[in-house]
Amino acid sequence: MTSGDGLTTVDELQARYGVEGRLTFAMGEDSFACVTMMSPGSCASVTLKGALVQSWRPAAAINDVLWMSDVAPSDARKPYRGGIPVCWPWFSAYPGDGAWPSHGPARSSAFGVVNAVASDEVVRLEMAPMMTMPVPEPIEGLQLRVVVEVGDQLTVALETQNQSERPISLTQALHTYFAISDVADIRIEGLDNCIYADALDGLRRVRQSGAVTISSEVDRIYATDGGPIRLVDRPQQRCVTIASEGSRSAVVWNPWIAKSERLGDMASGAYRRMVCIETANAGDDAISVAPGQSHRLIARIACDTLPKSN
Ligand code: TA6
């Protein structure tokens, strides 16, 4: 496989970018290169299939912050379920033409390495699609870079540049799957008083009252003030904070029982151990990028230990 700078094999990537104990490249079972990024504060793994961050574990954490399904996709061309899927250059179904893949082509596409560096505190990986991804004509001309930084926090950025001669509107998301102790024991703070569109009720607008708790399928696009969102998981003594830049919407999703069984790539009961809190430009938060301009959607994820709950 070739990469952003023309390197073709894992050995060449390792020779060009590898840093012992900090940045290593290996071939995954799926024939995509997998990058292990290690800093004093945390470590992560990224597959070049979809530029997917599959794992992030802070040095002080016992368990991974991200959830990955134990069940492989039924078809090697399908994206993995879990980690931080890149939904780009549209979120959910492409408007007016359901033939296009839900959440866009990026998460199933092969990416190459544009650059990879390790400083004292942070490892940085920059990726780009290896081929021009097929998209509807109205949004042709957008270029994507995915940048992952691993330090005390995990930062993921989608950098979109409009290389066409016309403004282009896009929606997108970092569709982050968080690992939790149990869906009954978590609360999501920071969305109080925000209006959400309920995807389970014809996108009816509802005002959130208090923290988000989950006791059935939830699929909501929140209009946010861009402030931090906190996932509080007391049994794990963990509080994960998701800060964003370039985003005024967030998606909260849990498939619950019936949908998780329909998906076909989630083990029975797995819905209880995951929740998606997605840093997005979705719903009414579509982004218009002027010719020659660019937009960055950034999620900064931090994990802190909560005092033992009495
Ligand atoms: O982000 C929530 C959502 O749009 C849900 O409606 C559900 O479809 C989920 O994404 C997963 O989508 P996927 O295409 O990965 O099965």
Side-chain angles (χ1 to χ4, degrees):
M1 59 176 285
T2 57
S3 69
D5 60 8
L7 294 182
T8 57
T9 69
V10 164
D11 291 344
E12 287 178 333
L13 286 168
Q14 181 63 27
R16 171 74 176 75
Y17 297 114
V19 179
E20 190 176 348
R22 303 295 309 277
L23 191 50
T24 56
F25 296 79
M27 181 61 80
E29 292 175 10
D30 58 6
S31 301
F32 284 87
C34 191
V35 193
T36 301
M37 305 169 71
M38 290 164 281
S39 68
S42 69
C43 60
S45 70
V46 180
T47 171
L48 293 187
K49 178 181 176 181
L52 178 75
V53 181
Q54 295 178 296
S55 163
W56 180 60
R57 192 172 56 76
I62 297 170
N63 303 316
D64 209 300
V65 173
L66 303 180
W67 177 88
M68 281 295 292
S69 177
D70 298 331
V71 180
S74 56
D75 178 327
R77 291 163 301 179
K78 286 187 175 178
Y80 289 116
R81 173 90 44 210
I84 308 181
V86 172
C87 301
W88 187 93
W90 65 84
F91 176 80
S92 193
Y94 181 74
D97 186 349
W100 293 96
S102 176
H103 290 327
R107 60 178 179 163
S108 304
S109 296
F111 279 71
V113 175
V114 174
N115 195 16
V117 291
S119 65
D120 288 351
E121 299 301 320
V122 176
V123 182
R124 185 180 191 274
L125 173 66
E126 185 175 348
M127 297 166 279
M130 294 213 296
M131 268 86 78
T132 301
M133 293 180 275
V135 297
E137 190 278 332
I139 55 175
E140 286 179 346
L142 293 177
Q143 296 295 313
L144 172 66
R145 285 276 191 279
V146 181
V147 182
V148 179
E149 290 187 352
V150 174
D152 290 340
Q153 301 183 4
L154 171 66
T155 301
V156 185
L158 300 185
E159 300 178 352
T160 298
Q161 187 176 40
N162 180 357
Q163 296 187 340
S164 78
E165 305 295 320
R166 69 205 185 288
I168 298 179
S169 178
L170 80 150
T171 56
Q172 59 186 341
L174 290 162
H175 196 297
T176 310
Y177 287 74
F178 289 100
I180 56 177
S181 52
D182 186 283
V183 69
D185 295 331
I186 58 149
R187 49 192 284 120
I188 300 168
E189 299 173 348
L191 295 169
D192 183 22
N193 219 23
C194 293
I195 301 291
Y196 65 84
D198 187 344
L200 304 177
D201 187 8
L203 296 178
R204 181 169 68 93
R205 279 4 187 218
V206 181
R207 185 177 297 279
Q208 177 63 38
S209 174
V212 179
T213 54
I214 298 172
S215 57
S216 63
E217 182 180 353
V218 166
D219 191 350
R220 302 172 182 172
I221 302 175
Y222 283 85
T224 71
D225 59 4
I229 298 171
R230 286 174 305 283
L231 169 58
V232 180
D233 185 343
R234 290 215 169 276
Q236 274 203 95
Q237 293 181 256
R238 174 181 278 184
C239 177
V240 177
T241 302
I242 305 109
S244 66
E245 283 181 43
S247 163
R248 306 294 286 203
S249 53
V251 179
V252 176
W253 178 61
N254 183 285
W256 210 250
I257 304 168
K259 177 143 192 185
S260 66
E261 289 170 354
R262 288 199 303 272
L263 289 172
D265 55 10
M266 287 183 72
S268 173
Y271 75 94
R272 301 202 67 90
R273 294 184 295 279
M274 53 68 66
V275 65
C276 283
I277 304 173
E278 305 162 38
T279 307
N281 296 121
D284 298 336
D285 181 27
I287 296 293
S288 178
V289 187
Q293 299 304 302
S294 58
H295 175 272
R296 280 162 45 108
L297 172 67
I298 302 176
R300 300 187 199 285
I301 302 172
C303 180
D304 298 298
T305 302
L306 286 175
K308 207 166 180 61
S309 51
N310 44 29

